Amino acid sequence: MSFFSNFQTDKCPGPISGNPLGGLNEKVCIQAQRVFDACIKQGRREGAVLNMTEPVPANPTYPLTFISARSTTSVGTVTAFQVDRLPDRAGCARVQATVDIPVEVVYTDANGVEGKASSTVTVSEDVILFVPQPSVMPYEVQSVVSAVAPEGSFNAENNTFTVDLCITVILKIIIGVDLLVPSYGYCVIPPAQEYTHEVCAGFFELPLYPQGNTDCGCCGNCNK
């Protein structure tokens, strides 16, 4: 059983039924990351070069054959960001940043042994976002990332891969805050429902012995 598996209580997440004010009983302070603004950018980068590090198994036999490449985490590393406020747009700023996306490359070597190696894709962002005014608690620029390369080829001259990447980058302006929110109280946690694979279910549903009807229907003499 879980929140969304036939668990009936008004003290768990799910659709609101009736008056949404029903059950509100206090204002609580929670520690959270407030997102002041965010934007998403998606695109295709053709001919991206992936340098490999930390191959597993070590010392593959070259040349390699590309299988696939994709990001290993949804969190990108933001570096070299610069914020320039726009005088003609209150609260907005030009945000420039470099985002590094960790990538894992999967391949087979010359002996047909499958392996993998680490790499990094670097993306430059230049966008307009709402940026809060200076405060005691500073804002941060965070990134949510995804990169997938369905196609690629091996470069024997320098042991790299050239790939076509589908890249998604979400930039966020955030601050860690103590936020006051209305509360329905503590959540009720349902008991776990263990998963079992009933391999004997069909067999156990059979009758213990065959039915007693002896009329086979093969001839007309059975019931005489």
Side-chain angles (χ1 to χ4, degrees):
M1 192 174 300
S2 68
F3 287 140
F4 305 101
S5 176
N6 197 29
F7 184 59
Q8 302 297 322
T9 177
D10 60 354
K11 292 293 186 180
C12 73
I16 294 176
S17 178
N19 185 355
L21 299 180
L24 287 175
N25 53 38
E26 62 178 334
K27 294 182 290 184
V28 298
C29 179
I30 63 172
Q31 194 174 46
Q33 287 187 336
R34 179 175 175 180
V35 180
F36 284 85
D37 203 0
C39 66
I40 184 172
K41 189 175 181 180
Q42 294 179 300
R44 178 184 172 112
R45 177 185 293 183
E46 298 182 353
V49 177
L50 299 181
N51 295 296
M52 297 183 298
T53 61
E54 303 175 351
V56 178
N59 303 315
T61 303
Y62 296 100
L64 308 180
T65 300
F66 178 84
I67 296 179
S68 65
R70 64 174 54 247
S71 49
T72 57
T73 177
S74 62
V75 180
T77 301
V78 178
T79 59
F81 70 87
Q82 179 177 335
V83 176
D84 297 310
R85 295 191 177 273
L86 302 177
D88 57 337
R89 299 181 62 174
C92 291
R94 177 186 180 187
V95 178
Q96 300 176 79
T98 298
V99 181
D100 292 331
I101 307 174
V103 172
E104 181 181 82
V105 185
V106 181
Y107 54 81
T108 55
D109 70 3
N111 295 325
V113 177
E114 183 172 306
K116 60 184 180 180
S118 299
S119 188
T120 302
V121 175
T122 300
V123 180
S124 296
E125 296 290 334
D126 190 349
V127 298
I128 295 175
L129 289 169
F130 172 83
V131 178
Q133 295 298 320
S135 61
V136 173
M137 303 303 296
Y139 62 81
E140 299 178 52
V141 180
Q142 284 191 354
S143 64
V144 178
V145 297
S146 173
V148 178
E151 299 177 354
S153 59
F154 180 69
N155 305 311
E157 63 275 10
N158 54 11
N159 293 337
T160 61
F161 285 104
T162 299
V163 299
D164 294 337
L165 283 164
C166 303
I167 300 175
T168 298
V169 176
I170 300 174
L171 285 185
K172 299 180 180 181
I173 304 294
I174 68 162
I175 297 180
V177 299
D178 292 334
L179 197 63
L180 190 65
V181 298
S183 170
Y184 293 92
Y186 290 115
C187 185
V188 175
I189 306 297
Q193 180 179 3
E194 296 288 345
Y195 173 79
T196 58
H197 184 51
E198 296 293 343
V199 295
C200 298
F203 181 74
F204 287 157
E205 290 169 2
L206 296 173
L208 186 59
Y209 300 107
Q211 299 298 316
N213 184 4
T214 58
D215 185 2
C216 63
C218 296
C219 64
N221 300 322
C222 295
N223 294 322
K224 292 183 179 179

